Amino acid sequence: MGSIQLRTSIPGPKSRALSKRREAAVPRGLSHATPVYVARAQDAWLEDVDGNRFLDFAGGIGCINTGHRNEVVISAIQSQLAAFLHTCSQVTPYESYVRLSERLNQITPGKFPKKTLLLNTGAEAVENAVKIARAHTGRSGVIAFEDAFHGRTMMALALTSKTHPYKTGFAPFPSDVYRIPYAYCYRCSYSLQYPSCDVYCARHLEDTFKRMVAAADVAAVIAEPVLGEGGFVVPPPEFFRIVMDICHEHGILFIADEVQSGFGRTGKLFACEHYGIEPDILVTAKSLGGGLPLAAVTGRAEIMDAPGVGGLGGTFAGNPLSCAAANAVLDLFECGDLLSRPNSVGEQFHKRAQEWKTRFDIIGDVRGLGAMQAIELVKSRETREPAPEETRHITQYCYEHGLITITAGTYSNVIRLLVPLVIPEEQMEEGLDVLENALASVCAARTTLAEAVTK
Ligand SMILES: Cc1ncc(COP(=O)(O)O)c(C=O)c1O
């Protein structure tokens, strides 16, 4: 149960008919990675409306770390359904919101007193983290990184780096946002090499205060501990420690955006734990809700209390169903062995990917932390020219052969692994076989083309 089963050509007739309807009814701005329509899902597999079964290496873009329809999560949602659906926590509060906040305050890095605000989406949580940082510091500037992704609402989009397609046509964006290079060692902005660079990109923050914005005008630096949409880039271990020390010397808050890297994805509950850092504010979402929309801003109590009464909130923010689901997700991490899975899933991927690297010269880099693994594809290892078309062909081959994968990266040339952590080893292997065949097929096509050109 759960392995790939294809009954029709992909997409099947029912999915094709739905695509026609979607085209007429839904704006083209909402893209979709695959044209297959889901009928049901469980653990790490999806079944489409034509009865085809796929392995899911995308997990709803990292929202399903605990697996599709995890029974503990479903049962918590069902109990909540039987009690009440919505009252709005700003009108008549409920215990599950308070309990979830208490638990997040407890499990996020840092032993200091904390408070938590619940929201609906990652972007909304990022917006609120910035509001809170500005209210606390009385400063307006925010420094974000190149290749960062923080969401699609206006402030989040201002913080997001990639221009096309995210920002095209939507300017102007909120002001007082500054951007500096991330520790993307494979494509170092300063053409340096770690460790001889002495993590120059982190130390360069001091220079930013002279050339871009005065430190006294900066409320916060915001960063993803591992780049998500930017291509699963893992900075050197000391990078964030240096950035945070510089921030704190100047009274600047450090906001960690763990929307994609959180809740076990990297082998620890939060990726910040790998670096031994305790952010002033931590933003979470995606897998927190076990499949339901929920986000959180957790931070030092005195910072979180900076906005006045009534300054924070949202009608559905921290809704009862999502709180019930999230409390169940935390139960699963607390009581089960879920945190032992990311490393074995990640190792399984990494081992195969390293072996592919010796066979397929299209693979420029293999990297990741825990189960947050990726391969970066290039036209040439010497020039490191990105290979976005080949990347698209690989994901196309994958879904046509029963594996859902998604890309990432500023140059759209990264294939990332966001598989539910509950995937059994043999299903993982089956998915990796498809990915290997996809790589082989695209590399073979490249060779044939090159031979035809030289003839
Ligand atoms: C690191 C990060 N921050 C923020 C967001 C935005 O989250 P949402 O799509 O829930 O608004 C995302 C979404 O991919 C993300 O990866």
Side-chain angles (χ1 to χ4, degrees):
M1 189 68 165
S3 27
I4 294 166
Q5 283 171 32
L6 301 181
R7 298 184 196 286
T8 67
S9 63
I10 308 296
K14 288 183 181 161
S15 275
R16 283 204 302 275
L18 280 167
S19 279
K20 271 218 168 80
R21 283 172 53 197
R22 186 186 197 267
E23 214 175 292
V26 179
R28 64 181 186 149
L30 185 77
S31 65
H32 54 333
T34 65
V36 289
Y37 287 71
V38 181
R40 59 200 189 104
Q42 186 69 45
D43 304 327
W45 57 262
L46 305 166
E47 198 173 287
D48 77 1
V49 286
D50 292 292
N52 299 303
R53 188 163 293 179
F54 298 83
L55 284 176
D56 181 13
F57 273 18
I61 320 190
C63 296
I64 309 287
N65 287 359
T66 48
H68 288 287
R69 300 189 73 259
N70 185 296
E71 60 179 12
V72 176
V73 176
I74 295 290
S75 139
I77 295 170
Q78 279 167 342
S79 305
Q80 183 59 48
L81 267 177
F84 62 96
L85 269 186
H86 177 71
T87 63
C88 184
S89 74
Q90 287 151 255
V91 181
T92 44
Y94 31 91
E95 191 266 346
S96 57
Y97 187 121
V98 179
R99 183 154 39 99
L100 181 58
S101 302
E102 289 168 345
R103 296 177 79 180
L104 287 170
N105 296 339
Q106 196 69 38
I107 60 174
T108 48
K111 288 278 166 264
F112 39 81
K114 294 187 212 119
K115 291 195 173 182
T116 289
L117 172 74
L118 299 179
L119 292 315
N120 297 291
T121 66
E124 193 188 353
V126 166
E127 300 270 345
N128 278 275
V130 172
K131 279 169 66 178
I132 293 166
R134 284 179 168 170
H136 176 74
T137 57
R139 305 169 176 184
S140 58
V142 185
I143 297 177
F145 285 88
E146 287 175 4
D147 305 304
F149 184 88
H150 296 291
R152 294 171 182 270
T153 53
M154 279 311 216
M155 185 66 200
L157 209 45
L159 298 168
T160 287
S161 171
K162 187 170 178 172
T163 52
H164 187 76
Y166 301 138
K167 297 170 105 154
T168 307
F170 301 137
F173 304 108
S175 60
D176 236 357
V177 170
Y178 306 87
R179 194 171 308 288
I180 57 175
Y182 194 77
Y184 189 169
C185 296
Y186 185 66
R187 297 187 184 279
C188 177
S189 296
Y190 303 105
S191 303
L192 297 172
Q193 277 212 326
Y194 180 80
S196 58
C197 63
D198 195 23
V199 209
Y200 176 76
C201 51
R203 301 184 198 285
H204 190 69
L205 182 53
E206 282 288 4
D207 202 52
T208 305
F209 300 146
K210 294 189 182 74
R211 297 170 121 176
M212 268 193 215
V213 55
D217 293 328
V218 179
V221 169
I222 182 165
E224 296 157 85
V226 178
L227 287 184
E229 304 301 301
F232 282 26
V233 176
V234 187
E238 63 274 50
F239 176 75
F240 287 112
R241 181 76 275 147
I242 299 169
V243 168
M244 273 194 76
D245 285 349
I246 297 174
C247 284
H248 288 167
E249 263 172 49
H250 295 279
I252 296 167
L253 302 181
F254 180 75
I255 303 172
D257 179 346
E258 291 243 25
V259 167
Q260 196 155 158
S261 58
F263 299 101
R265 173 55 47 191
T266 66
K268 295 195 186 282
L269 214 39
F270 303 101
C272 281
E273 296 171 52
H274 290 281
Y275 309 103
I277 55 164
E278 297 171 353
D280 302 298
I281 296 176
L282 185 88
V283 180
T284 52
K286 289 196 186 276
S287 276
L288 166 64
L292 289 190
L294 188 67
V297 179
T298 302
R300 290 181 183 271
E302 71 276 14
I303 295 172
M304 295 298 291
D305 272 336
V309 176
L312 302 173
T315 307
F316 280 110
N319 75 85
L321 278 189
S322 297
C323 285
N327 274 310
V329 166
L330 297 193
D331 288 343
L332 285 164
F333 278 107
E334 222 168 77
C335 311
D337 60 353
L338 211 50
L339 268 185
S340 68
R341 288 296 296 146
N343 285 336
S344 42
V345 168
E347 268 163 34
Q348 211 177 338
F349 179 92
H350 199 80
K351 216 166 120 202
R352 290 284 294 268
Q354 287 295 5
E355 192 265 321
W356 297 337
K357 200 175 168 189
T358 63
R359 289 170 49 204
F360 307 124
D361 62 2
I362 193 173
I363 297 183
D365 198 23
V366 176
R367 57 178 179 249
L369 205 51
M372 196 165 180
Q373 294 284 333
I375 47 176
E376 175 157 357
L377 306 177
V378 290
K379 290 190 192 296
S380 140
R381 282 197 182 148
E382 283 68 46
T383 62
R384 300 192 179 184
E385 184 189 343
E389 300 83 15
E390 290 85 344
T391 309
R392 200 163 34 77
H393 287 145
I394 289 168
T395 55
Q396 166 91 8
Y397 178 104
C398 283
Y399 94 76
E400 283 173 359
H401 292 81
L403 177 70
I404 308 289
T405 56
I406 47 172
T407 60
T410 298
Y411 307 102
S412 309
N413 65 327
V414 175
I415 294 177
R416 56 179 152 166
L417 180 72
L418 284 170
V419 68
L421 302 175
V422 296
I423 188 169
E425 206 177 311
E426 57 286 2
Q427 282 179 24
M428 184 71 196
E429 212 55 34
E430 191 182 351
L432 292 171
D433 287 344
V434 175
L435 188 48
E436 178 172 315
N437 292 341
L439 283 159
S441 145
V442 166
C443 287
R446 264 200 339 171
T447 312
T448 313
L449 190 66
E451 281 167 2
V453 170
T454 44
K455 262 184 200 160

